[in-house]
Short mmCIF file of all heavy atoms in Angstrom, two decimals:
data_model
loop_
_atom_site.label_atom_id
_atom_site.label_comp_id
_atom_site.label_asym_id
_atom_site.label_seq_id
_atom_site.Cartn_x
_atom_site.Cartn_y
_atom_site.Cartn_z
N GLU A 1 10.02 -54.35 64.11
CA GLU A 1 10.56 -55.66 64.20
C GLU A 1 9.57 -56.54 65.05
O GLU A 1 9.34 -57.78 64.65
CB GLU A 1 11.96 -55.64 64.92
CG GLU A 1 12.94 -55.07 64.08
CD GLU A 1 14.34 -54.96 64.91
OE1 GLU A 1 14.25 -55.33 66.08
OE2 GLU A 1 15.30 -54.52 64.21
N SER A 2 9.02 -56.01 66.11
CA SER A 2 8.03 -56.77 66.92
C SER A 2 6.77 -57.07 66.11
O SER A 2 6.22 -58.16 66.29
CB SER A 2 7.66 -55.90 68.16
OG SER A 2 6.64 -56.59 68.98
N ALA A 3 6.37 -56.09 65.25
CA ALA A 3 5.15 -56.36 64.47
C ALA A 3 5.41 -57.60 63.48
O ALA A 3 4.56 -58.33 63.16
CB ALA A 3 4.83 -55.11 63.66
N GLU A 4 6.69 -57.65 62.92
CA GLU A 4 7.05 -58.71 61.96
C GLU A 4 6.96 -60.09 62.65
O GLU A 4 6.43 -61.09 62.13
CB GLU A 4 8.38 -58.47 61.43
CG GLU A 4 8.41 -57.19 60.34
CD GLU A 4 9.76 -57.02 59.77
OE1 GLU A 4 10.68 -57.85 60.23
OE2 GLU A 4 9.96 -55.97 59.15
N LYS A 5 7.50 -60.12 63.88
CA LYS A 5 7.58 -61.43 64.62
C LYS A 5 6.14 -61.84 64.94
O LYS A 5 5.84 -63.06 64.82
CB LYS A 5 8.40 -61.31 65.90
CG LYS A 5 9.86 -61.10 65.65
CD LYS A 5 10.64 -60.98 66.99
CE LYS A 5 12.10 -60.85 66.67
NZ LYS A 5 12.76 -60.62 68.01
N LYS A 6 5.32 -60.95 65.37
CA LYS A 6 3.94 -61.31 65.63
C LYS A 6 3.21 -61.86 64.45
O LYS A 6 2.34 -62.74 64.52
CB LYS A 6 3.15 -60.10 66.20
CG LYS A 6 3.53 -59.73 67.60
CD LYS A 6 2.81 -58.54 68.12
CE LYS A 6 3.24 -58.14 69.52
NZ LYS A 6 2.48 -57.00 70.08
N SER A 7 3.52 -61.22 63.30
CA SER A 7 2.88 -61.65 62.07
C SER A 7 3.27 -63.21 61.68
O SER A 7 2.45 -63.99 61.33
CB SER A 7 3.22 -60.83 60.91
OG SER A 7 2.66 -61.21 59.74
N GLU A 8 4.63 -63.43 61.85
CA GLU A 8 5.11 -64.83 61.60
C GLU A 8 4.48 -65.86 62.53
O GLU A 8 4.18 -66.97 62.33
CB GLU A 8 6.53 -64.79 61.70
CG GLU A 8 7.30 -64.03 60.58
CD GLU A 8 8.76 -64.00 60.75
OE1 GLU A 8 9.28 -64.57 61.81
OE2 GLU A 8 9.52 -63.35 59.95
N SER A 9 4.35 -65.39 63.91
CA SER A 9 3.81 -66.31 64.87
C SER A 9 2.42 -66.57 64.67
O SER A 9 1.88 -67.72 64.92
CB SER A 9 3.95 -65.66 66.30
OG SER A 9 3.38 -66.43 67.32
N ALA A 10 1.69 -65.71 64.18
CA ALA A 10 0.28 -65.90 63.79
C ALA A 10 0.05 -66.92 62.72
O ALA A 10 -0.85 -67.70 62.72
CB ALA A 10 -0.43 -64.53 63.41
N VAL A 11 1.12 -66.84 61.72
CA VAL A 11 1.02 -67.80 60.67
C VAL A 11 1.21 -69.27 61.16
O VAL A 11 0.54 -70.20 60.84
CB VAL A 11 2.01 -67.47 59.56
CG1 VAL A 11 1.90 -68.45 58.43
CG2 VAL A 11 1.61 -66.07 58.94
N GLU A 12 2.24 -69.41 62.03
CA GLU A 12 2.63 -70.80 62.54
C GLU A 12 1.49 -71.26 63.44
O GLU A 12 1.17 -72.51 63.44
CB GLU A 12 3.89 -70.71 63.48
CG GLU A 12 5.15 -70.30 62.53
CD GLU A 12 6.35 -70.16 63.42
OE1 GLU A 12 6.13 -70.36 64.67
OE2 GLU A 12 7.41 -69.97 62.89
N THR A 13 0.76 -70.41 64.14
CA THR A 13 -0.34 -70.83 64.92
C THR A 13 -1.50 -71.52 64.14
O THR A 13 -2.19 -72.41 64.64
CB THR A 13 -0.94 -69.61 65.78
OG1 THR A 13 0.11 -68.99 66.53
CG2 THR A 13 -2.05 -70.13 66.67
N GLU A 14 -1.62 -70.95 62.91
CA GLU A 14 -2.62 -71.52 62.06
C GLU A 14 -2.31 -73.06 61.57
O GLU A 14 -3.21 -73.76 61.41
CB GLU A 14 -2.85 -70.69 60.86
CG GLU A 14 -3.43 -69.31 61.26
CD GLU A 14 -3.62 -68.44 60.04
OE1 GLU A 14 -3.12 -68.89 58.89
OE2 GLU A 14 -3.99 -67.27 60.03
N THR A 15 -0.98 -73.30 61.55
CA THR A 15 -0.54 -74.64 61.00
C THR A 15 -0.21 -75.56 62.07
O THR A 15 -0.17 -76.84 61.96
CB THR A 15 0.68 -74.50 60.14
OG1 THR A 15 1.70 -73.83 60.88
CG2 THR A 15 0.35 -73.59 58.86
N ALA A 16 0.14 -75.14 63.40
CA ALA A 16 0.58 -76.07 64.42
C ALA A 16 0.05 -75.68 65.72
O ALA A 16 -0.22 -74.44 65.96
CB ALA A 16 2.10 -76.18 64.41
N VAL A 17 -0.10 -76.57 66.65
CA VAL A 17 -0.62 -76.21 67.98
C VAL A 17 0.63 -76.09 68.89
O VAL A 17 1.41 -76.96 68.97
CB VAL A 17 -1.42 -77.36 68.48
CG1 VAL A 17 -2.03 -77.07 69.81
CG2 VAL A 17 -2.72 -77.52 67.56
N LEU A 18 0.70 -74.96 69.64
CA LEU A 18 1.75 -74.68 70.61
C LEU A 18 1.61 -75.55 71.88
O LEU A 18 0.58 -75.71 72.42
CB LEU A 18 1.76 -73.29 71.02
CG LEU A 18 2.00 -72.22 69.95
CD1 LEU A 18 1.96 -70.74 70.49
CD2 LEU A 18 3.47 -72.41 69.31
N PRO A 19 2.83 -76.23 72.36
CA PRO A 19 2.83 -76.98 73.46
C PRO A 19 2.62 -76.22 74.81
O PRO A 19 2.95 -75.06 74.79
CB PRO A 19 4.09 -77.71 73.58
CG PRO A 19 5.00 -76.73 72.84
CD PRO A 19 4.25 -76.12 71.77
N ASP A 20 2.05 -76.77 75.82
CA ASP A 20 1.84 -76.00 77.03
C ASP A 20 3.19 -75.89 77.75
O ASP A 20 4.02 -76.78 77.71
CB ASP A 20 0.89 -76.82 77.91
CG ASP A 20 -0.52 -76.84 77.33
OD1 ASP A 20 -0.84 -75.89 76.50
OD2 ASP A 20 -1.20 -77.83 77.64
N TYR A 21 3.38 -74.69 78.43
CA TYR A 21 4.62 -74.48 79.11
C TYR A 21 4.53 -75.06 80.53
O TYR A 21 3.61 -74.82 81.27
CB TYR A 21 4.91 -72.90 79.28
CG TYR A 21 6.19 -72.54 80.03
CD1 TYR A 21 7.41 -72.85 79.55
CD2 TYR A 21 5.99 -71.92 81.29
CE1 TYR A 21 8.50 -72.54 80.35
CE2 TYR A 21 7.18 -71.57 81.97
CZ TYR A 21 8.37 -71.91 81.44
OH TYR A 21 9.56 -71.59 82.17
N SER A 22 5.57 -75.93 80.90
CA SER A 22 5.58 -76.61 82.18
C SER A 22 6.39 -76.00 83.13
O SER A 22 6.27 -76.33 84.39
CB SER A 22 6.13 -78.05 81.97
OG SER A 22 7.42 -78.11 81.50
N GLY A 23 7.20 -74.99 82.87
CA GLY A 23 8.20 -74.26 83.94
C GLY A 23 9.52 -74.87 83.89
O GLY A 23 10.33 -74.31 84.56
N ASP A 24 9.80 -75.90 83.16
CA ASP A 24 11.06 -76.42 83.15
C ASP A 24 11.96 -75.62 82.13
O ASP A 24 11.49 -75.28 81.11
CB ASP A 24 11.15 -77.94 82.67
CG ASP A 24 10.37 -78.77 83.72
OD1 ASP A 24 10.35 -78.35 84.85
OD2 ASP A 24 9.69 -79.81 83.31
N VAL A 25 13.23 -75.44 82.46
CA VAL A 25 14.24 -74.79 81.65
C VAL A 25 15.05 -75.79 80.97
O VAL A 25 15.71 -76.62 81.48
CB VAL A 25 15.10 -73.80 82.50
CG1 VAL A 25 16.05 -73.02 81.54
CG2 VAL A 25 14.18 -72.81 83.28
N GLU A 26 15.11 -75.56 79.61
CA GLU A 26 16.09 -76.48 78.87
C GLU A 26 17.51 -76.00 78.87
O GLU A 26 17.67 -74.79 78.90
CB GLU A 26 15.55 -76.49 77.39
CG GLU A 26 14.16 -77.16 77.31
CD GLU A 26 13.71 -77.22 75.86
OE1 GLU A 26 14.47 -76.74 74.98
OE2 GLU A 26 12.57 -77.64 75.65
N GLY A 27 18.42 -76.86 78.80
CA GLY A 27 19.91 -76.47 78.73
C GLY A 27 20.47 -76.23 80.23
O GLY A 27 19.68 -76.45 81.18
N GLU A 28 21.73 -75.65 80.28
CA GLU A 28 22.43 -75.57 81.53
C GLU A 28 21.99 -74.30 82.13
O GLU A 28 21.91 -73.25 81.47
CB GLU A 28 23.89 -75.55 81.24
CG GLU A 28 24.70 -75.57 82.51
CD GLU A 28 26.23 -75.65 82.26
OE1 GLU A 28 26.66 -75.65 81.15
OE2 GLU A 28 27.00 -75.68 83.28
N THR A 29 21.83 -74.29 83.49
CA THR A 29 21.44 -73.11 84.23
C THR A 29 22.63 -72.80 85.19
O THR A 29 23.30 -73.63 85.59
CB THR A 29 20.08 -73.34 84.99
OG1 THR A 29 20.36 -74.46 85.90
CG2 THR A 29 18.96 -73.61 84.08
N PHE A 30 22.68 -71.44 85.42
CA PHE A 30 23.78 -70.87 86.37
C PHE A 30 23.10 -70.08 87.53
O PHE A 30 22.22 -69.41 87.23
CB PHE A 30 24.77 -70.09 85.58
CG PHE A 30 25.52 -70.85 84.46
CD1 PHE A 30 24.96 -70.77 83.23
CD2 PHE A 30 26.62 -71.55 84.71
CE1 PHE A 30 25.68 -71.47 82.20
CE2 PHE A 30 27.27 -72.20 83.74
CZ PHE A 30 26.83 -72.22 82.47
N THR A 31 23.78 -70.26 88.65
CA THR A 31 23.36 -69.43 89.83
C THR A 31 24.20 -68.14 89.79
O THR A 31 25.17 -68.05 89.05
CB THR A 31 23.50 -70.34 91.14
OG1 THR A 31 24.90 -70.45 91.34
CG2 THR A 31 22.74 -71.52 91.15
N PHE A 32 23.83 -67.24 90.63
CA PHE A 32 24.58 -65.96 90.82
C PHE A 32 26.01 -66.19 91.26
O PHE A 32 26.88 -65.47 90.84
CB PHE A 32 23.80 -64.98 91.65
CG PHE A 32 24.31 -63.53 91.77
CD1 PHE A 32 24.22 -62.69 90.63
CD2 PHE A 32 25.06 -63.20 92.82
CE1 PHE A 32 24.81 -61.45 90.70
CE2 PHE A 32 25.54 -61.88 92.87
CZ PHE A 32 25.41 -61.09 91.79
N ASP A 33 26.09 -67.05 92.26
CA ASP A 33 27.38 -67.36 92.85
C ASP A 33 28.35 -67.89 91.77
O ASP A 33 29.54 -67.62 91.71
CB ASP A 33 27.29 -68.30 93.92
CG ASP A 33 26.61 -67.70 95.16
OD1 ASP A 33 26.58 -66.42 95.29
OD2 ASP A 33 26.00 -68.37 96.02
N GLN A 34 27.75 -68.77 90.88
CA GLN A 34 28.60 -69.38 89.88
C GLN A 34 29.11 -68.32 88.85
O GLN A 34 30.20 -68.34 88.37
CB GLN A 34 27.77 -70.43 89.08
CG GLN A 34 27.59 -71.72 89.95
CD GLN A 34 26.62 -72.72 89.26
OE1 GLN A 34 25.91 -72.26 88.31
NE2 GLN A 34 26.80 -74.00 89.55
N LEU A 35 28.23 -67.30 88.65
CA LEU A 35 28.67 -66.32 87.69
C LEU A 35 29.78 -65.45 88.29
O LEU A 35 30.64 -64.85 87.62
CB LEU A 35 27.45 -65.37 87.30
CG LEU A 35 26.37 -66.04 86.46
CD1 LEU A 35 25.16 -65.09 86.31
CD2 LEU A 35 26.91 -66.43 85.10
N GLU A 36 29.76 -65.21 89.61
CA GLU A 36 30.87 -64.36 90.26
C GLU A 36 32.10 -65.21 90.53
O GLU A 36 33.03 -64.57 90.79
CB GLU A 36 30.25 -63.86 91.66
CG GLU A 36 29.37 -62.83 91.54
CD GLU A 36 28.92 -62.28 92.79
OE1 GLU A 36 29.18 -62.87 93.93
OE2 GLU A 36 28.36 -61.04 92.90
#
């Protein structure tokens, strides 16, 4: 399965440029206290 995903990712890289990761998390985040 990992080999298949890498193959698809390689194809997309040829057609589009990946954005740089800024460290921000999208969506709602939870702390450990909230989970408990």
